[in-house]
Amino acid sequence: MSPRQQNQQGQRTELRELQTALRTASDIAFDVQTPEGEQAEVLVDALRRALAAAQAFADGPGTTGCREHPRGAIDPLYGDKDDPLPPGWGRCLLCNDRRRRATARRGGMAIR
């Protein structure tokens, strides 16, 4: 997947998150009863998620294209033709490192 396609996919994900969070907040806010207790907490969480998703649009695409670490380090092996990353791995060094560790643990090797 090209960086442009990754960016578009990230934007679609952010848009879905924004829409879902706003629907949740709207459902609670326009309910007949005033939100209290747990329902008020869900409303606050939904509004925070909506704000974070909207902020991602305002900030523009992150360096890594990663939703979890948009401003994280780029994996030095990303785009390396001699030592390519496995299919589906992105530019984010933090996520790729987590994948490497998980793969090593499944293979019986422990990384310290």
Side-chain angles (χ1 to χ4, degrees), residues 43-99:
L43 174 61
V44 169
D45 179 60
L47 290 171
R48 283 188 181 135
R49 287 185 294 121
L51 180 59
Q55 188 65 50
F57 285 113
D59 292 345
T63 305
T64 63
C66 172
R67 182 170 182 206
E68 191 174 350
H69 312 105
R71 307 273 184 243
I74 295 183
D75 193 321
L77 294 179
Y78 183 80
D80 187 337
K81 292 180 178 130
D82 297 327
D83 191 10
L85 293 170
W89 287 30
R91 296 170 50 116
C92 180
L93 176 62
L94 298 170
C95 289
N96 289 348
D97 185 54
R98 184 172 51 214
R99 289 182 185 107

Side-chain angles (χ1 to χ4, degrees), residues 5-23:
Q5 289 171 322
Q6 287 177 343
N7 182 40
Q8 289 173 338
Q9 183 178 3
Q11 286 180 336
R12 284 191 299 270
T13 301
E14 289 298 332
L15 181 60
R16 280 192 303 271
E17 175 64 20
L18 176 62
Q19 292 168 338
T20 300
L22 288 175
R23 269 190 222 101

